[in-house]
Amino acid sequence: MSAFKLSLQDEIDLAAFLRDLVQTPSPSTQEGAVAERIVAEMNRLGFRDVRIDRLGDVVGWVGPGHGPLLMLNGHMDTVRVSDPKTWHYEPFGARIEDGVLYGLGACDMKGGLAAMIYGAKLLRDSDVALNGDVVVACVTQEEPCEGLGSRVLIEEEGICPEWVVVGEPTNLDVSRGHRGRLEVRLVTHGRSAHAACPALGDNAIYTAARLVFGLELLAEQLAEDAFLGPGTLAVTNITSSAGSRNAVPDRCELIVDRRLTLGESETKALAEVQRVVAREGVRAEVEVAGYQATSYTGYVCQTRESYPAWVMAEDHPLVTAVVDTLREQLKRRPQVICWDFSTEGAYTAGVAGIPTVGFGPGDPRQAHTADEHVRLSDVYSAAEVYAWLAARLLGMK
């Protein structure tokens, strides 16, 4: 089988499509405009059964309509611009300079989305006879709640892939897993009093501060895995409440971001935090935080912020298929890595047990940064790899 190659017109069209995606804001739960743009592009390119599901995910198929299914999976949402003054390029300008496209979401992960769609188009235009389908799944709300969109597609929409490729940025290398994520909520309670007489109260912030110190010590004692690295813990938010700003707070809430390496579980992580509370001799509630949102379609989302770690064996057939495809298509041996961050793979591999790998254009270090960018040549290469991988997995023997 000869290598897949985008035509010059395909490259021009792909770059224009990616610019449209970046120029269209799509913060989590507000992905509707980008979804409609993707639907239009999929229809223009000849995908079949293109639709928006109940949550707001976009799906479109290429292939004969029967046989095994490969899902190319990416998210439409982005984080928000934290401080426009830190950007040298307009966040929604999608400016191209020296072959690099700048803008919010260019790397994480609209470059991957565009590459997956054009990779499926390239496969459709080829003369490869397929015994199965490719579905490109563009999901919502990945940034705050990874796996939500994939869960709805698989459990509620009945889409059952044999393999999943997550198009988050890997620098054109291969990711075979990542740590899990647990968001823990701690609430301390005290007794309010006038701030002029603080001894009459019990300051919930002071109690929380003792827990913060204990959690800082705990963070140095977490388990480590040879591939995924150590578990981590960080206090990421502190809020308090009182009758006024001149009253002793009677409540303080901490949010803890806990990354789980292999061998760690939600139960183990919560027990470690409970031991900190017990050692400090304070009263505090400890629980997994909840996620609640309403999608742009009106779907009400409720789930727990608990996402497992997952790793595919280095010799798993899907991993080796991606590595071999990259060697043949890009003429280099890719690195096999793990992501530092969490992705839709937390559900597809970690919960549903579907063989999953990560591959996409862009440097992962660009995610959530000012002047986020992606090389267009990498986006083109990723599209060609997606096409060849699908042909390898689904091509007639």
Side-chain angles (χ1 to χ4, degrees):
M1 184 167 57
S2 59
F4 283 82
K5 178 64 178 173
L6 290 170
S7 69
L8 177 59
Q9 188 59 55
D10 281 340
E11 290 184 355
I12 292 170
D13 291 346
L14 196 167
F17 175 52
L18 176 54
R19 290 196 74 220
D20 284 351
L21 295 182
V22 172
Q23 289 172 337
T24 306
S26 56
S28 304
T29 74
Q30 299 176 42
E31 303 94 343
V34 156
E36 293 292 348
R37 179 65 183 88
I38 289 172
V39 166
E41 192 73 2
M42 285 183 171
N43 282 326
R44 188 184 74 82
L45 296 177
F47 285 51
R48 73 166 205 279
D49 300 331
V50 179
R51 62 185 174 85
I52 295 175
D53 76 358
R54 67 194 76 188
L55 178 64
D57 307 318
V58 178
V59 287
W61 275 260
V62 167
H66 56 77
L69 181 63
L70 167 64
M71 175 183 283
L72 302 179
N73 183 301
H75 65 88
M76 299 182 289
D77 60 321
T78 70
V79 295
R80 296 181 181 273
V81 179
S82 58
D83 183 0
K85 295 178 181 178
T86 63
W87 286 68
H88 296 93
Y89 297 88
E90 204 282 313
F92 300 105
R95 181 172 174 179
I96 298 174
E97 195 170 283
D98 297 326
V100 177
L101 190 151
Y102 294 84
L104 181 68
C107 177
D108 181 22
M109 58 156 292
K110 291 178 176 179
L113 277 180
M116 290 189 298
I117 291 167
Y118 271 78
K121 185 262 186 189
L122 186 58
L123 179 70
R124 179 185 177 276
D125 291 349
S126 74
D127 58 2
V128 175
L130 300 176
N131 62 8
D133 281 350
V134 174
V135 59
V136 180
C138 308
V139 304
T140 71
Q141 298 180 61
E142 187 276 344
E143 292 292 358
C145 189
E146 60 271 29
L148 172 65
S150 296
R151 181 190 64 76
V152 170
L153 286 174
I154 291 168
E155 295 185 13
E156 299 184 26
E157 299 292 329
I159 299 173
C160 300
E162 274 70 29
W163 314 277
V164 175
V165 177
V166 176
E168 295 270 13
T170 63
N171 248 343
L172 301 183
D173 288 319
V174 181
S175 175
R176 61 183 182 95
H178 58 64
R179 294 174 301 172
R181 180 172 76 89
L182 185 66
E183 189 170 296
V184 182
R185 177 175 167 270
L186 285 82
V187 179
T188 62
H189 299 278
R191 185 175 64 256
S192 188
H194 199 293
C197 305
L200 297 178
D202 178 10
N203 196 319
I205 291 180
Y206 295 168
T207 302
R210 292 166 60 186
L211 294 181
V212 170
F213 179 70
L215 292 170
E216 187 177 9
L217 295 177
L218 172 62
E220 300 173 356
Q221 305 165 19
L222 302 177
E224 184 165 358
D225 176 73
F227 178 62
L228 291 186
T232 59
L233 182 154
V235 177
T236 58
N237 194 59
I238 302 176
T239 56
S240 64
S241 61
S244 72
R245 290 175 63 176
N246 61 2
V248 171
D250 57 6
R251 184 182 185 277
C252 186
E253 177 179 301
L254 309 177
I255 296 295
V256 177
D257 182 297
R258 177 72 162 86
R259 302 290 161 146
L260 305 170
T261 197
L262 282 188
E264 296 186 313
S265 65
E266 174 188 316
T267 300
K268 179 176 183 290
L270 291 177
E272 290 170 339
V273 174
Q274 290 282 14
R275 283 196 291 272
V276 171
V277 173
R279 186 172 63 244
E280 294 298 328
V282 301
R283 182 169 62 93
E285 301 162 11
V286 179
E287 62 182 7
V288 177
Y291 176 76
Q292 296 185 4
T294 301
S295 75
Y296 73 90
T297 60
Y299 183 107
V300 177
C301 315
Q302 289 187 319
T303 189
R304 300 167 73 253
E305 296 269 27
S306 181
Y307 312 91
W310 63 278
V311 172
M312 297 294 296
E314 194 162 7
D315 61 354
H316 188 280
L318 180 59
V319 176
T320 59
V322 179
V323 170
D324 290 345
T325 300
L326 285 167
R327 291 177 65 181
E328 294 164 5
Q329 181 72 41
L330 302 183
K331 309 303 181 187
R332 69 173 179 84
R333 183 172 182 83
Q335 295 185 62
V336 179
I337 63 170
C338 63
W339 278 307
D340 290 330
F341 48 83
S342 188
T343 73
E344 291 291 295
Y347 175 81
T348 62
V351 176
I354 300 168
T356 300
V357 296
F359 168 77
D363 185 341
R365 294 172 298 181
Q366 283 295 315
H368 303 187
T369 63
D371 293 332
E372 182 181 350
H373 58 267
V374 67
R375 290 186 297 272
L376 288 175
S377 61
D378 286 357
V379 178
Y380 304 151
S381 293
E384 293 162 355
V385 168
Y386 292 133
W388 196 340
L389 175 64
R392 181 187 295 275
L393 295 173
L394 301 170
M396 298 292 285
K397 306 299 183 185

